[in-house]
Amino acid sequence: VITLMATSLSYAESAIQMENSTQKVQKTIDVSNLITNKINNQNKRAKNFSQTGTASWYGPGFHGKRTSSGEKFDMNALTAAHPSLPIPSYARVTNLHNGKSIVVRINDRGPFHSRRVMDMSKGAAMKLGFVARGSANVLIEAVGADGAMLQKTSETEMVLNPKQETI
């Protein structure tokens, strides 16, 4: 009788453990689906995004500090802070004064100044030609992470990946 009770208890415990495991797997799948849906919604929201306004740059005082994405800020990388574009995402930024254009990775929130639409790394501002001026009137257009769809023109410099060389 004792052996039979122990065996029955063992089966009951196994059944409970299997049910708990199934619930954990289902919760993991649910969380994964929520994350996927959130990313898809962010991409849809960013897909047709276009904005003009004043961009400024930031660098030495923030170099090495954490960004909103959690990575360390590299003032020489081609990155930017934007108040609403998804992190991470990519945007083509064109200096409307000189026509220069690059693709930056959005990895931070900002700017925290009501008259600006974007804060760019010093490296990005150098490529766009406005470090000395401190700010520039820009056009911001969300682009896909693959960047390969972008075409290079004689007046536009496209950067596909902040860590790769300019093409």
Side-chain angles (χ1 to χ4, degrees):
V1 175
I2 295 175
T3 305
L4 182 60
M5 287 176 48
T7 304
S8 296
L9 182 59
S10 170
Y11 285 128
E13 287 175 344
S14 294
I16 290 170
Q17 287 175 352
M18 285 180 60
E19 184 176 329
N20 288 341
S21 295
T22 302
Q23 289 173 350
K24 287 178 185 176
V25 168
Q26 185 60 45
K27 285 180 184 178
T28 302
I29 291 169
D30 290 345
V31 169
S32 178
N33 288 339
L34 286 173
I35 292 168
T36 301
N37 289 340
K38 183 175 181 177
I39 290 168
N40 288 338
N41 288 337
Q42 288 175 338
N43 289 341
K44 286 177 189 174
R45 189 175 61 215
K47 187 175 182 181
N48 298 316
F49 182 87
S50 179
Q51 180 180 28
T52 57
T54 303
S56 58
W57 66 271
Y58 65 123
F62 296 92
H63 188 70
K65 294 186 179 177
R66 296 280 177 200
T67 64
S68 296
S69 67
E71 66 191 71
K72 286 185 178 180
F73 175 65
D74 178 355
M75 69 181 194
N76 300 306
L78 300 179
T79 59
H82 192 272
S84 63
L85 284 172
I87 295 175
S89 64
Y90 293 86
R92 178 189 304 126
V93 182
T94 304
N95 182 335
L96 297 175
H97 176 72
N98 61 19
K100 290 183 178 181
S101 181
I102 61 171
V103 173
V104 296
R105 186 169 44 87
I106 307 300
N107 71 339
D108 205 359
R109 288 290 171 229
F112 300 105
H113 190 285
S114 62
R115 294 187 181 157
R116 296 189 190 126
V117 295
M118 180 175 270
D119 274 339
M120 306 189 76
S121 64
K122 183 178 181 183
M126 287 177 68
K127 294 278 188 188
L128 291 175
F130 72 88
V131 170
R133 295 180 73 189
S135 64
N137 194 26
V138 297
L139 168 64
I140 303 166
E141 300 168 289
V143 296
D146 58 5
M149 299 181 306
L150 304 176
Q151 299 294 316
K152 182 180 177 184
T153 67
S154 59
E155 63 186 10
T156 304
E157 176 186 22
M158 292 294 165
V159 179
L160 301 181
N161 184 322
K163 298 293 183 188
Q164 292 179 348
E165 290 185 31
T166 305
I167 61 167

